[in-house]
DNA sequence: ACCTCTTAGATGACATGTCAACCAAATGCC
DNA sequence: GGCATTTGGTTGACATGTCATCTAAGAGGT
């Protein structure tokens, strides 16, 4: 592929992209394994429950939940179905809009979340944050925001 | 969570991790959509076929393939089964070790790969590489390698 | 040759994610 | 009120990944 090509991607850049993707994949897998082992939940469970935990007492609508964690509605719905089955969350009748329900943490869900929280934070620190230099943290934060912003606009 | 806690993760660091994860997820989804639209294949298909394409004429063993792209063997096997079904690759009898077969690209596979290559590179450049500053590229490359290295050792 | 141990892969069960189609309540407009 | 449209969610079909288990072929030692 000639260097004059607009879309040309040289070896160093391929390596950058590849390494980045691979790192993220491995990191995610390891975090998932640990979270599963320590608290019996997945990262998906964790993120969703964390949003619920931080949210209002009455719970959240599936839509609002998806908005918060950046998931599309069908993904939220499927995940909720599975989590209801595992007893982590509950669908509660909603007064103001009968099309959907409010989602709330069950006692077991809250327990699993709290149990996982400390270890998960430790793992993220150990496997990721602690391995970054301060300027790398700045660079990654800035780059993530910029790339993410570009994606939303482009769609 | 007190700041003296070893595992303490402050807001800025949570945001860093969250933003990073979200960015990667969105980027991957968008790249997948485009690759699917332009060449009818997934990123998984693409990566696997690219390794085959770069490899020796006779093809590669599933194990070697997995080694190259960093996948575990069962994942490779499942993906191959699906891709054989879609006519992208073929399992060929192996002389030297009858436990497995050599994997080779089919004509259709090669065509799909070549069709996707240019556009995919352009997309990666447009959505990711072109949005990074030179120092961010350096930082991300270095950080990826370090984090990845830490994961392998830790396991 | 024979028996054991290792290794390469395949497979089944199951969790996850995407897309498209569907459904019913809510909303707008006449 | 009555009806079309929008909106919030669910569902089904299907691709993907993980783990545990299984199979059969190599390799080694006697």
């Amino acid at each position: 592929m000639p260097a004059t090509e607009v879309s040309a991607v040289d070896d160093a850049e391929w390596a950058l992209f590849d390494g980045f993707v691979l790192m993220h994949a491995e990191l995610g897998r390891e975090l998932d394994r640990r979270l599963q082992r320590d608290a019996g939940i997945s990262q998906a469970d964790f993120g969703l429950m964390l949003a619920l935990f931080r949210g209002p007492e009455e719970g959240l609508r599936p839509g609002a939940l998806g908005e918060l964690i950046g998931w599309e509605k069908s993904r939220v719905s499927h995940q909720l179905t599975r989590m209801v089955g595992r007893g982590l969350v509950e669908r509660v009748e909603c007064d103001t809009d009968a099309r959907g329900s409010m989602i709330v943490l069950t006692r077991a869900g809250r327990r699993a979340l709290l149990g996982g929280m400390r270890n998960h934070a430790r793992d993220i620190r150990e496997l990721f944050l602690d391995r970054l230099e301060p300027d790398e943290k700045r660079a990654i934060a800035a780059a993530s925001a910029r790339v993410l912003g570009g994606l939303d606009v482009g769609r």
Side-chain angles (χ1 to χ4, degrees), chain A:
Chain A
M1 200 174 291
T4 53
E5 182 76 44
V6 177
S7 64
V9 175
D10 65 41
D11 287 354
E13 290 185 309
W14 264 114
L16 163 63
F17 182 70
D18 259 27
F20 167 72
V21 168
L22 188 58
M23 179 272 275
H24 183 272
E26 291 296 331
L27 176 62
R29 273 194 277 278
E30 183 60 24
L31 286 175
D32 236 341
R33 267 190 295 269
R34 295 190 182 194
L35 192 55
Q36 192 66 233
R37 188 193 58 199
D38 296 339
I41 57 178
S42 65
Q43 281 192 86
D45 297 333
F46 184 85
L48 195 153
M49 289 200 290
L50 188 59
L52 281 179
F53 182 69
R54 287 176 172 155
E57 189 63 35
E58 336 83 69
L60 286 168
R61 308 292 305 275
L65 199 47
E67 200 68 32
L68 278 175
I69 56 183
W71 290 10
E72 69 177 302
K73 59 186 186 171
S74 100
R75 184 179 176 187
V76 174
S77 185
H78 280 303
Q79 185 68 26
L80 286 176
T81 302
R82 292 186 292 253
M83 292 175 71
V84 167
R86 270 174 265 152
L88 296 173
V89 299
E90 231 177 341
R91 289 188 217 258
V92 176
E93 188 83 5
C94 176
D95 306 342
T96 68
D97 186 339
R99 280 171 304 185
S101 27
M102 300 297 282
I103 310 299
V104 292
L105 280 173
T106 61
R107 185 177 308 277
R110 188 177 304 269
R111 183 154 18 85
L113 176 66
L114 294 175
M117 211 129 66
R118 186 162 305 255
N119 284 329
H120 193 49
R122 176 179 40 69
D123 293 338
I124 290 175
R125 166 161 294 300
E126 173 190 335
L127 298 178
F128 183 65
L129 296 173
D130 277 355
R131 302 192 191 273
L132 303 179
E133 303 294 337
D135 65 306
E136 288 172 349
K137 288 184 187 175
R138 270 191 302 279
I140 290 176
S144 295
R146 197 174 321 115
V147 170
L148 196 50
L151 285 168
D152 288 340
V153 175
R155 230 182 320 148

